[in-house]
């Protein structure tokens, strides 16, 4: 008889006391919950411990990819479920995950979850935000890359198996907070590309910005998501502008240093 594989839920957090209860309640059935806190100033560690999570702390911030690697190193389960504080595992998704755990181990398979993304009160069904599949369930032999932002699992030649059920993602509940996070992502993205020797011209800044708006609203049918779809098209364009404008500005600064 096949022995059920143990599941470790792994999280990286900072100042997420408000969101953690619902998130942790949705994965309370896991064999263990590993939480790596990067210097929270609220009650995040205490809330996590109330829900039975094993809390570890790290004051240094190496970027999202390496931080996920660090968190996973504390896990002991054969299978890893990587989630964030603003995500919730639905009962339907839990049932799918349990089937994977009950089956014989498949070391050459990783599993993608479809996310329902919340944007200003609406779970988006278009705009490129659905089904927004992310590989989050996988054998512990796999790990994340070193990217500072937009990190992803190094799946190598593994087969990606899509699971039914949704991972709810409370992407944007507060517009201004969301914008601040987007700006931080754009800054980190530009710095990483700059360090890799990437440059862009001023024309690229505006062509990428316009392209992002048209792609979200038209090609990805964002207009079908109502008012939120139109706003998201503008937000995506703004985020793209910030990324490429920051990269352009870093290039100008480097050029100035050489004069």
């Amino acid at each position: 008889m096949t022995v059920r594989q143990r599941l470790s839920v792994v999280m990286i957090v900072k100042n997420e006391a408000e969101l953690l209860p619902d998130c942790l309640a949705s994965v309370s059935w896991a064999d263990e919950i590993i939480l790596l806190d990067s210097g929270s100033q609220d009650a995040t560690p205490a809330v996590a411990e109330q829900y039975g999570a094993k809390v570890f702390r790290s004051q240094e911030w190496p970027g999202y990819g390496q931080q996920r690697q660090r968190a996973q190193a504390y896990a002991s389960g054969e299978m890893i479920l990587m989630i964030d504080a603003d995500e919730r595992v639905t009962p339907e998704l839990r049932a799918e995950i349990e089937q994977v755990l009950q089956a014989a181990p498949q070391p050459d398979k990783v599993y993608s979850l479809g996310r329902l993304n919340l944007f200003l009160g609406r779970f988006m069904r278009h705009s490129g935000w659905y089904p927004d599949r992310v590989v989050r369930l996988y054998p512990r032999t796999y790990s994340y890359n070193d990217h500072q932002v937009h990190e992803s699992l190094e799946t190598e030649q593994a087969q990606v198996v899509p699971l039914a059920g949704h991972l709810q993602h409370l992407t944007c509940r507060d517009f201004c907070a969301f914008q601040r996070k987007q700006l931080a992502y754009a800054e980190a993205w530009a710095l990483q590309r700059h360090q890799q020797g990437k440059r862009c011209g001023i024309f690229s800044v505006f062509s990428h910005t316009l392209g992002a708006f048209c792609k979200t609203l038209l090609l990805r049918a964002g207009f079908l998501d109502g008012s939120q779809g139109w706003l998201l098209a503008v937000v995506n364009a703004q985020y793209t502008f910030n990324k490429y404008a920051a990269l352009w500005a870093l290039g100008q600064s480097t050029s100035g240093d050489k004069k």
Side-chain angles (χ1 to χ4, degrees):
M1 185 176 66
T2 302
V3 178
R4 178 185 178 277
Q5 301 176 83
R6 296 184 69 253
L7 177 68
S8 296
V9 170
V10 178
M11 306 176 63
I12 59 173
V13 299
K14 181 178 181 180
N15 295 331
E16 297 288 9
E18 179 184 355
L19 291 174
L20 267 182
D22 287 344
C23 174
L24 296 177
S26 76
V27 293
S28 59
W29 44 273
D31 296 286
E32 69 174 3
I33 300 174
I34 302 296
L35 187 144
L36 179 57
D37 183 87
S38 57
S40 289
Q41 297 175 326
D42 63 4
T44 291
V47 171
E49 289 172 348
Q50 288 176 6
Y51 281 83
K54 299 177 182 178
V55 178
F56 301 89
R57 293 170 173 82
S58 173
Q59 296 298 326
E60 180 188 6
W61 177 253
Y64 284 92
Q66 291 187 34
Q67 190 76 340
R68 292 195 191 279
Q69 296 171 19
R70 290 179 175 181
Q72 183 174 320
Y74 292 110
S76 63
E78 292 83 18
M79 294 292 289
I80 304 294
L81 175 62
M82 185 74 69
I83 64 171
D84 294 326
D86 60 357
E87 295 174 335
R88 285 96 179 84
V89 174
T90 61
E92 295 78 14
L93 179 56
R94 173 189 173 178
E96 286 280 302
I97 294 174
E98 286 286 4
Q99 289 184 21
V100 173
L101 300 176
Q102 294 289 352
Q106 301 283 343
D108 59 342
K109 292 183 179 180
V110 296
Y111 303 86
S112 71
L113 318 180
R115 289 198 300 184
L116 271 177
N117 291 300
L118 183 73
F119 183 72
L120 300 177
R122 182 183 189 129
F123 280 110
M124 308 294 275
R125 289 286 185 171
H126 307 280
S127 306
W129 271 25
Y130 183 81
D132 187 27
R133 288 206 162 269
V134 288
V135 178
R136 296 290 192 81
L137 179 68
Y138 53 92
R140 62 174 297 116
T141 51
Y142 296 93
S143 185
Y144 274 74
N145 57 30
D146 291 338
H147 292 184
Q148 292 185 356
V149 293
H150 302 308
E151 71 287 0
S152 60
L153 191 71
E154 294 286 4
T155 57
E156 302 172 4
Q157 301 301 315
Q159 177 186 355
V160 180
V161 180
L163 297 184
H166 290 116
L167 183 66
Q168 291 185 345
H169 184 203
L170 308 186
T171 317
C172 177
R173 300 174 302 126
D174 181 303
F175 184 75
C176 291
F178 181 69
Q179 287 289 74
R180 286 191 292 270
K181 183 181 292 187
Q182 291 285 84
L183 183 59
Y185 283 158
E187 181 181 11
W189 180 92
L191 182 60
Q192 179 174 306
R193 296 305 188 280
H194 180 72
Q195 291 172 344
Q196 294 171 346
K198 306 294 184 181
R199 301 291 185 270
C200 77
I202 193 65
F203 177 77
S204 292
V205 175
F206 293 101
S207 62
H208 280 95
T209 299
L210 180 60
F213 178 81
C214 294
K215 181 183 293 185
T216 302
L217 189 68
L218 302 176
L219 296 182
R220 295 175 173 172
F223 61 91
L224 295 177
D225 280 322
S227 299
Q228 286 89 341
W230 282 87
L231 287 174
L232 182 57
V234 175
V235 167
N236 283 347
Q238 183 180 43
Y239 170 61
T240 302
F241 172 82
N242 289 338
K243 288 197 305 181
Y244 285 93
L247 180 58
W248 179 84
L250 287 170
Q252 295 299 110
S253 175
T254 302
S255 299
D257 292 340
K258 295 179 180 178
K259 293 180 181 179

